[in-house]
Amino acid sequence: MKGTKRKVSTEADENIVKKSILGDLEEDYASGDEAYEVDIPKIDRSRSCPYLDTINRSLLDFDFEKLCSVSLSHLNVYACLVCGKYFQGRGRKSHANTHSVEVNHHVFLNLYTLKFYCLPDNYQIIDSSLEDITFVLNPTFTKVQIKQIASESKLSRAYDGTTYLPGIVGLNNIKANDYCNVVLQALSNVPPLRNYFLREENYSHIKRPPGDIMILLSQRFGELIRKLWNPRNFKAHVSPHEMLQSIVLCSRKRFQITKQGDPLDLLAWFMNSLHVALNGTKKRSSSIVTKTFQGEMKVFSRKIPNPEFSDEQKKKLLETEEYQETMVKAPFLYLTLDLPSAPLYKDELEHNIIPQIPLSMLLAKFNGMTEKEYKGKRDSTMKRFEITKLPPYLIFYIKRFTKNLFFTEKNPTIVNFPVKNIDLEELVAADAKCPNTCYDLMANIVHDGEPNEGKGSYRVHILHQGSNLWYEMQDLHVTDILPQMITLSEAYIQIWALRKTANTNDQQQMET
């Protein structure tokens, strides 16, 4: 009898098959027949790990800094998928190996290579059921998925059962970072910026000089955007821990998690730093930040003689070249709107009057005719502004706070504005080429309470593009809101989107 090849398909039959094959071989050897080579396959443990059912997805949180909970090292960090803690290494004397032996937790994920391992046996686990975990750690989006986001209004269900709308997700307030949260939530809903950072390939190849830490800013912001728009999250909120740490580090502690700051200061610094991190230059098209937010204006300036001088002295000075009007073109990322002073006295019923002013009156500052005085140490300068180029997304900063040596004052004036269709045609220079000048509101940052540090709070109103509904977000709290209620708030920073028409080809190209 000649020997035959046998294949083993299951682990249970392996011993039986081995005995059977060995018995056949003995018979062949005794009868003098030539036996064929026998294949006894090895069982692939990587595809049949017995510990996969111990994974506890409800304890997994990949938002925090990737460092070992024992050694505090960033190198070669693994996440225990049973308890959610981070440990270093997987060798015999490593913290992860020790943890697996002591606590009987066996399934680990390398946070950088996204590979799964079973410890202390130290073999790689290959199983398609673990893909949801790698997607939460590092969400990825195709170009087709990004195009669909603009029209998507379907609610997603998190692993814990709560429902959420991707993009309209609460951010954890670690201590006093509400001023950061509102800026990050507003910027994450600006379509060109969002679409750019959803694709990691757009910025992962950018090289910075050795030792430059600004590259962290673009990496962390991209990670945060992808987590906020992830439709397969395990929970319905995100902790911006790593993003905030990069802001503290890159700003050299100018902005902190433990101390409330000004959202405008953060927004201005963040946009300029992100522009630098993306290797942006003075050219408008050099980064996604300037493509999206940068406009251009003419600034007319003329000096005014000191009022203490006599009329003759003033007349002579006005004839000199130094006191002639000059004009320069300057780029801008946001427009500052000055509120008129609030009334000092109470009304007849002993109530404080809350004045109101239309947005159009504040925008008159940029019509090219309204002059404003800027006082210097010796001379004053009269300036007027005229817009020559409107950006696809326009940011208004309503100047509510005035600071002096002792305290900060807040102007409570309510600004009346329409939520849709404001026309800025009157502000644009006659020789400027702006075929479309109509804007719709898409984000509104509000300050509530007293102006002094730590006593007030910030919240943001966001228009969800897919559902066309407004939402109010304050840290972890997300609620829907009527657009009529938005105009009653003390608006501080606003982002307006240029209306899409047949003429706005640039805008449409950026969105796709």
Side-chain angles (χ1 to χ4, degrees):
M1 187 185 83
K2 289 192 176 182
T4 56
K5 271 193 178 183
R6 302 196 181 189
K7 289 186 179 178
V8 181
S9 57
T10 63
E11 187 177 2
D13 297 331
E14 184 179 5
N15 293 330
I16 298 169
V17 172
K18 279 182 183 177
K19 288 176 183 176
S20 175
I21 291 172
L22 289 170
D24 288 349
L25 284 172
E26 286 173 3
E27 286 177 15
D28 291 341
Y29 182 75
S31 62
D33 291 340
E34 182 183 355
Y36 289 104
E37 181 186 347
V38 179
D39 292 335
I40 304 176
K42 293 180 180 179
I43 300 302
D44 188 0
R45 289 193 298 172
S46 66
R47 296 186 183 275
S48 58
C49 180
Y51 301 111
L52 293 185
D53 60 340
T54 64
I55 294 173
N56 190 348
R57 285 171 170 79
S58 60
L59 293 179
L60 301 183
D61 189 348
F62 301 121
D63 292 342
F64 292 97
E65 192 177 5
K66 314 294 191 283
L67 66 120
C68 175
S69 57
V70 180
S71 66
L72 302 181
S73 170
H74 291 84
L75 300 173
N76 205 21
V77 179
Y78 290 77
C80 172
L81 300 185
V82 183
C83 64
K85 293 179 181 177
Y86 295 167
F87 297 96
Q88 187 181 17
R90 69 171 200 273
R92 282 192 176 183
K93 295 183 179 180
S94 66
H95 298 297
N97 195 288
T98 305
H99 176 75
S100 70
V101 173
E102 286 181 351
V103 196
N104 209 25
H105 293 173
H106 299 285
V107 188
F108 289 80
L109 167 63
N110 187 308
L111 296 174
Y112 299 99
T113 64
L114 306 185
K115 291 180 180 178
F116 297 88
Y117 294 91
C118 181
L119 298 181
D121 298 339
N122 203 9
Y123 61 84
Q124 187 181 345
I125 303 168
I126 300 168
D127 198 293
S128 59
S129 67
L130 302 175
E131 286 178 4
D132 61 330
I133 297 174
T134 54
F135 194 83
V136 168
L137 175 58
N138 184 30
T140 53
F141 294 82
T142 63
K143 289 182 179 180
V144 175
Q145 288 172 327
I146 292 172
K147 282 184 180 180
Q148 290 172 347
I149 283 177
S151 57
E152 190 66 58
S153 60
K154 188 171 71 173
L155 288 170
S156 295
R157 186 176 293 276
Y159 182 77
D160 58 6
T162 54
T163 55
Y164 68 96
L165 201 57
I168 308 295
V169 178
L171 288 176
N172 195 14
N173 189 349
I174 297 165
K175 187 170 182 184
N177 56 280
D178 57 335
Y179 75 103
C180 296
N181 289 352
V182 291
V183 170
L184 295 172
Q185 282 165 328
L187 291 178
S188 69
N189 279 273
V190 176
L193 206 63
R194 173 199 68 201
N195 296 351
Y196 179 86
F197 281 99
L198 283 178
R199 294 277 292 173
E200 196 174 1
E201 305 90 272
N202 290 334
Y203 55 91
S204 58
H205 64 279
I206 292 174
K207 293 182 179 178
R208 298 289 301 156
D212 185 75
I213 57 173
M214 283 300 176
I215 194 72
L216 272 175
L217 216 56
S218 57
Q219 290 173 350
R220 297 286 182 260
F221 187 60
E223 287 172 14
L224 180 67
I225 293 284
R226 293 197 298 279
K227 285 178 180 178
L228 287 173
W229 286 92
N230 182 4
R232 293 157 56 187
N233 266 330
F234 285 169
K235 55 192 188 312
H237 65 271
V238 172
S239 178
H241 195 270
E242 288 189 294
M243 178 74 241
L244 295 173
Q245 279 194 319
S246 68
I247 289 174
V248 173
L249 186 66
C250 295
S251 68
R252 295 176 181 174
K253 297 187 179 179
R254 177 182 166 188
F255 303 103
Q256 297 190 14
I257 301 171
T258 55
K259 186 179 177 183
Q260 194 181 58
D262 189 337
L264 181 87
D265 291 344
L266 175 69
L267 180 65
W269 172 86
F270 185 75
M271 287 197 296
N272 283 297
S273 300
L274 197 60
H275 175 68
V276 171
L278 297 172
N279 283 344
T281 60
K282 290 184 179 181
K283 291 182 179 179
R284 185 175 177 271
S285 60
S286 60
S287 83
I288 189 65
V289 177
T290 49
K291 279 181 188 175
T292 307
F293 296 111
Q294 186 173 293
E296 192 179 63
M297 66 167 73
K298 292 177 182 176
V299 182
F300 299 90
S301 309
R302 61 181 181 88
K303 274 190 177 182
I304 304 172
N306 194 316
E308 296 177 0
F309 292 163
S310 64
D311 292 343
E312 288 183 11
Q313 287 177 310
K314 288 180 184 177
K315 194 175 180 179
K316 285 181 181 178
L317 285 172
L318 288 171
E319 290 173 358
T320 61
E321 190 177 342
E322 188 184 350
Y323 284 80
Q324 300 303 309
E325 188 174 66
T326 58
M327 188 276 287
V328 292
K329 282 190 175 182
F332 67 86
L333 288 174
Y334 63 88
L335 297 177
T336 302
L337 308 182
D338 303 306
L339 286 174
S341 300
L344 295 172
Y345 304 104
K346 295 182 178 182
D347 63 8
E348 297 170 356
L349 300 172
E350 291 296 312
H351 294 301
N352 283 325
I353 303 168
I354 299 178
Q356 299 186 27
I357 188 169
L359 181 65
S360 56
M361 285 186 68
L362 301 182
L363 289 170
K365 172 183 175 182
F366 301 97
N367 61 10
M369 295 178 285
T370 307
E371 284 191 319
K372 189 187 175 187
E373 185 178 354
Y374 291 83
K375 292 181 179 178
K377 290 183 179 179
R378 295 182 178 179
D379 298 312
S380 296
T381 307
M382 296 297 288
K383 290 187 178 182
R384 57 190 178 93
F385 309 93
E386 192 173 35
I387 294 172
T388 56
K389 198 166 198 174
L390 288 168
Y393 289 83
L394 184 60
I395 300 175
F396 291 156
Y397 155 53
I398 299 169
K399 196 173 181 182
R400 288 199 175 274
F401 301 108
T402 50
K403 296 178 183 178
N404 56 35
L405 295 172
F406 305 102
F407 54 87
T408 304
E409 288 182 286
K410 180 183 174 183
N411 190 328
T413 303
I414 298 291
V415 179
N416 296 321
F417 55 89
V419 175
K420 287 189 174 183
N421 200 20
I422 61 161
D423 195 348
L424 306 182
E425 189 178 1
E426 294 179 359
L427 311 182
V428 179
D431 57 344
K433 294 179 181 179
C434 292
N436 188 21
T437 56
C438 293
Y439 282 83
D440 295 330
L441 184 68
M442 59 154 295
N444 181 51
I445 295 174
V446 179
H447 180 267
D448 298 311
E450 294 182 30
N452 296 316
E453 182 189 310
K455 292 189 176 180
S457 60
Y458 292 96
R459 55 194 168 97
V460 61
H461 302 125
I462 300 286
L463 176 66
H464 185 257
Q465 203 178 1
S467 61
N468 204 31
L469 295 174
W470 281 93
Y471 290 87
E472 180 179 276
M473 292 190 278
Q474 187 168 12
D475 299 329
L476 293 174
H477 305 288
V478 179
T479 55
D480 52 355
I481 186 172
L482 293 171
Q484 295 88 333
M485 300 297 293
I486 295 168
T487 58
L488 303 176
S489 60
E490 295 178 1
Y492 186 49
I493 299 170
Q494 295 182 332
I495 303 178
W496 295 78
L498 191 67
R499 278 212 154 187
K500 292 179 186 176
T501 64
N503 296 323
T504 54
N505 293 326
D506 293 342
Q507 167 82 353
Q508 290 172 352
Q509 284 173 6
M510 286 180 67
E511 299 255 351
T512 55

